[in-house]
Amino acid sequence: MEETLYTIGEVAKLANVSIQTLRYYDQIGLFKPAYVDPETNYRYYKDLQLYHLDLIKSLKYIGTSLEDIKKVQQLKREELLQFMNEQEEIIEAQLARLREIQQNVVHAKKRIQKQLNYPAFGEVVIRQEEEMRIIQAAAKNLTPLDLLNASYSELKRIVEAEEGVINNSYGAIISHQPYSHIDEITYTKIFTPILTDKRISTISTEIEVSKIPAARYACIYYIFSPEVYFPNLKKLMDYVTDHNFRAVGDIYELFTSSNYSPNEHEYIVEMKIRIAD
Amino acid sequence: MEETLYTIGEVAKLANVSIQTLRYYDQIGLFKPAYVDPETNYRYYKDLQLYHLDLIKSLKYIGTSLEDIKKVQQLKREELLQFMNEQEEIIEAQLARLREIQQNVVHAKKRIQKQLNYPAFGEVVIRQEEEMRIIQAAAKNLTPLDLLNASYSELKRIVEAEEGVINNSYGAIISHQPYSHIDEITYTKIFTPILTDKRISTISTEIEVSKIPAARYACIYYIFSPEVYFPNLKKLMDYVTDHNFRAVGDIYELFTSSNYSPNEHEYIVEMKIRIAD
């Protein structure tokens, strides 16, 4: 490859970069012309230099900043390998984060689709439900009438720290008993679903990871208000009894917002009782 | 869930956001307090509002801008599903781009590792080589003495457009003949490797995608200079003849820089001849 000199305009065309970029690279000392005419200040580049524009481009492509590219230019080959290993790790981490976000979006879609397909409010239906991983805390005598968004504050903080994001469903568990009035009901646990399959460290005896098993459930859905809470619960329990289903375990309640609007505070409640096959 | 009012400090703690963020969300109309005391200007929030902070957080997490979150808040549920579908596509595209970058980094690592393990310069070795996808162009009478970086300008432009990045190896092909002097050599093709397995559209009769097959090759490596080019080529060809190997096809040359430094222009040349098994 013989000695040839190009003007900045020729380099721009040959290397598919703009003249402005080449001037900037010169200013910051990233890629300097081989020769500058002292009278005209015109820049001239050797053919051999073109290769280094390719290297700069390829490093930019993998996300290396111009400042870091200047450092990479000083590296020996063994150090370059180390640098590439680091880049690979960074990309792995970015991929992992994106996959998590993807799981979240898929989950959000499922939730919206489920809401779009809700059966008529106030009607009991039998549904095969997927397993739901949850993180749960002792409910400390909370009742349906004094459960607050604020009650979930600690649970949410943990999920947010572990998963990077909280999801938008909140739940509570009551034991299955022949209730005759809302005043008799006290939650045993409150919970929020976990979206990813990430391992979450055990936190304390009061807060733990658990799951609502995949199974058939008798379910009822309704728009929350204190007045309709008990009639819906009663209807669900009576349905199970009347149809001779054998109820298994607790009663689960799950709250989700019916929309993303900050001015409407409408919650859809899903109550469900697992039934034996 | 009953009516409760929180101060901005309480909301900050309960929802794990900063007071500054809450003030900012108020200013841009994203999340406004339910009540502002007209005398003190203190902000008060309802418990029910906390839920919407979770929605804002979850949208931020999947990469939605605050401006877009304001729009999402106005969406009906069917539109929300559409929005989530779009987010999923965006994430898919980001994942695809990252995987491409990953392929590039892995390839760069392989190249560096290969360079680190080069046999002694000027010695012929027999190596099993992986298949290399290339894009090649007619060499238009180029010879080893007038091949320039600039000669690859068009090939690089195509690869850059198709793959988003060019890699840093350049090659040339000569037919296998009993040369006795460098002046007898004219390249038939010049090429550059393609890193990804992306399908590249056929460009013209002169530029085409091809491959250097996986096979055993007799190889020689050296630091390029016009003086040593022919002695190395001759040594390689003689080795094949002397060892009674049967040569298959053309002779390939591949140039890579020995480092990323813009001040050293040292190229390593790899020449190889495929030999029959």
Side-chain angles (χ1 to χ4, degrees):
Chain A
M1 304 200 182
E2 66 182 13
E3 201 71 63
T4 313
L5 282 181
Y6 304 115
T7 65
I8 193 166
E10 285 169 331
V11 171
K13 268 193 197 160
L14 287 168
N16 200 17
V17 293
S18 72
I19 291 177
Q20 290 86 333
T21 298
L22 289 170
R23 287 205 191 104
Y24 184 68
Y25 284 177
D26 182 8
Q27 279 164 25
I28 65 171
L30 181 66
F31 183 74
K32 299 186 91 57
Y35 170 73
V36 180
D37 187 310
E39 301 215 341
T40 62
N41 273 328
Y42 285 172
R43 296 166 173 89
Y44 294 94
Y45 299 81
K46 289 188 203 174
D47 182 76
L48 282 168
Q49 290 189 276
L50 290 182
Y51 189 87
H52 289 284
L53 272 181
D54 299 342
L55 294 176
I56 290 169
K57 275 187 183 181
S58 65
L59 287 169
K60 261 185 73 180
Y61 175 78
I62 66 168
T64 314
S65 70
L66 297 184
E67 263 316 292
D68 283 344
I69 292 176
K70 280 164 78 174
K71 288 178 201 148
V72 171
Q73 290 179 335
Q74 313 306 321
L75 298 181
K76 296 196 195 73
R77 201 163 312 138
E78 293 76 12
E79 296 167 324
L80 259 182
L81 191 60
Q82 178 55 28
F83 169 80
M84 286 297 172
N85 280 330
E86 285 161 15
Q87 300 314 300
E88 203 177 13
E89 277 167 30
I90 292 168
I91 291 165
E92 279 297 346
Q94 289 172 331
L95 277 170
R97 189 179 133 73
L98 263 181
R99 284 193 206 101
E100 252 180 67
I101 293 176
Q102 194 180 33
Q103 276 184 303
N104 268 278
V105 171
V106 168
H107 192 274
K109 273 179 60 179
K110 269 196 194 165
R111 196 177 55 231
I112 296 166
Q113 266 161 338
K114 194 177 173 185
Q115 289 184 351
L116 284 170
N117 295 317
Y118 269 158
F121 287 142
E123 298 298 325
V124 177
V125 290
I126 305 296
R127 290 177 89 136
Q128 178 65 35
E129 299 257 288
E130 290 179 17
E131 176 178 295
M132 185 185 275
R133 257 182 107 208
I134 59 171
I135 181 164
Q136 65 185 22
K140 295 173 182 161
N141 299 320
L142 279 169
T143 75
L145 295 177
D146 57 16
L147 185 67
L148 293 170
N149 273 296
S151 313
Y152 290 90
S153 177
E154 199 187 345
L155 273 185
K156 289 197 290 187
R157 206 188 323 274
I158 293 164
V159 175
E160 204 176 353
E162 294 273 356
E163 297 222 283
V165 70
I166 37 157
N167 90 85
N168 313 308
S169 305
Y170 301 102
I173 303 175
I174 55 179
S175 61
H176 195 175
Q177 288 168 30
Y179 302 109
S180 60
H181 193 275
I182 190 169
D183 290 344
E184 298 167 14
I185 299 174
T186 305
Y187 291 122
T188 57
K189 302 277 183 189
I190 59 172
F191 67 86
T192 182
I194 302 169
L195 302 194
T196 65
D197 39 20
K198 221 185 244 181
R199 203 172 131 41
I200 291 186
S201 34
T202 317
I203 303 104
S204 72
T205 48
E206 291 203 334
I207 296 183
E208 60 192 357
V209 173
S210 181
K211 62 185 176 190
I212 303 178
R216 280 211 305 163
Y217 289 85
C219 310
I220 194 165
Y221 303 86
Y222 59 94
I223 304 288
F224 180 80
S225 78
E227 297 74 33
V228 301
Y229 176 90
F230 194 72
N232 277 289
L233 176 61
K234 191 88 181 74
K235 188 167 183 179
L236 179 64
M237 291 195 299
D238 288 349
Y239 185 96
V240 171
T241 315
D242 295 348
H243 288 74
N244 293 316
F245 287 124
R246 189 166 66 78
V248 182
D250 297 320
I251 302 172
Y252 300 97
E253 296 175 18
L254 203 64
F255 312 90
T256 46
S257 176
S258 64
N259 57 68
Y260 276 53
S261 163
N263 307 314
E264 295 169 42
H265 303 301
E266 198 181 79
Y267 290 90
I268 299 169
V269 185
E270 172 185 356
M271 283 177 164
K272 58 187 189 183
I273 298 174
R274 185 178 165 189
I275 52 178
D277 289 324
Chain B
M1 305 201 180
E2 65 182 14
E3 201 70 63
T4 311
L5 282 181
Y6 304 115
T7 65
I8 194 167
E10 286 169 329
V11 171
K13 269 193 197 159
L14 287 168
N16 200 18
V17 294
S18 72
I19 291 177
Q20 289 85 332
T21 298
L22 289 169
R23 288 206 191 103
Y24 184 68
Y25 285 177
D26 182 7
Q27 279 165 25
I28 65 170
L30 181 65
F31 183 73
K32 301 187 88 60
Y35 170 72
V36 180
D37 187 312
E39 301 215 340
T40 62
N41 272 330
Y42 284 173
R43 295 166 173 90
Y44 293 95
Y45 299 84
K46 290 189 202 173
D47 182 76
L48 283 168
Q49 291 189 275
L50 290 182
Y51 188 87
H52 289 284
L53 273 181
D54 299 342
L55 294 175
I56 290 169
K57 274 188 185 181
S58 64
L59 287 169
K60 260 184 74 180
Y61 175 79
I62 64 168
T64 314
S65 70
L66 298 184
E67 264 314 292
D68 284 343
I69 292 176
K70 280 163 77 174
K71 288 177 202 151
V72 171
Q73 289 178 336
Q74 314 305 321
L75 298 182
K76 296 198 194 71
R77 201 162 311 136
E78 293 76 12
E79 294 167 325
L80 259 183
L81 191 60
Q82 179 54 29
F83 170 80
M84 286 297 171
N85 280 330
E86 285 162 15
Q87 300 314 300
E88 203 177 13
E89 278 168 29
I90 292 169
I91 292 165
E92 279 297 345
Q94 288 173 332
L95 277 169
R97 189 180 132 74
L98 264 180
R99 285 194 207 102
E100 251 181 69
I101 293 177
Q102 194 180 33
Q103 277 185 301
N104 269 278
V105 171
V106 168
H107 192 274
K109 274 179 59 178
K110 269 196 194 164
R111 195 176 57 230
I112 297 167
Q113 265 161 340
K114 193 176 174 185
Q115 289 184 349
L116 284 170
N117 295 316
Y118 269 158
F121 287 141
E123 298 298 325
V124 178
V125 289
I126 304 296
R127 289 177 90 135
Q128 179 65 36
E129 299 258 286
E130 290 177 18
E131 176 178 296
M132 183 183 275
R133 258 184 108 210
I134 60 172
I135 181 165
Q136 65 186 19
K140 294 174 183 160
N141 299 319
L142 279 169
T143 74
L145 295 178
D146 57 18
L147 184 67
L148 293 170
N149 274 294
S151 313
Y152 291 89
S153 178
E154 197 186 346
L155 272 184
K156 289 197 289 185
R157 205 188 323 273
I158 292 164
V159 175
E160 203 174 354
E162 293 273 355
E163 298 220 283
V165 69
I166 36 157
N167 90 85
N168 314 307
S169 304
Y170 301 101
I173 303 176
I174 54 180
S175 60
H176 195 174
Q177 288 167 32
Y179 301 110
S180 59
H181 193 275
I182 189 167
D183 290 344
E184 299 166 13
I185 299 174
T186 305
Y187 291 122
T188 57
K189 303 277 183 188
I190 58 173
F191 67 87
T192 182
I194 302 169
L195 303 194
T196 65
D197 39 20
K198 221 185 245 181
R199 202 173 133 39
I200 292 186
S201 35
T202 317
I203 302 105
S204 71
T205 46
E206 290 203 333
I207 297 184
E208 60 193 355
V209 173
S210 182
K211 62 186 178 190
I212 301 177
R216 280 211 305 163
Y217 289 85
C219 311
I220 194 166
Y221 303 86
Y222 59 95
I223 304 288
F224 180 80
S225 77
E227 297 74 33
V228 299
Y229 176 92
F230 194 74
N232 277 289
L233 175 62
K234 191 90 182 72
K235 189 168 183 178
L236 179 64
M237 292 194 298
D238 288 349
Y239 184 97
V240 171
T241 314
D242 295 349
H243 288 74
N244 293 317
F245 287 123
R246 188 166 64 80
V248 181
D250 296 320
I251 302 173
Y252 300 97
E253 296 175 18
L254 202 66
F255 312 88
T256 46
S257 176
S258 63
N259 57 68
Y260 276 51
S261 163
N263 307 314
E264 295 169 42
H265 304 299
E266 198 181 79
Y267 292 90
I268 299 170
V269 185
E270 173 185 354
M271 282 178 163
K272 60 187 189 182
I273 298 173
R274 184 177 167 190
I275 52 178
D277 287 324

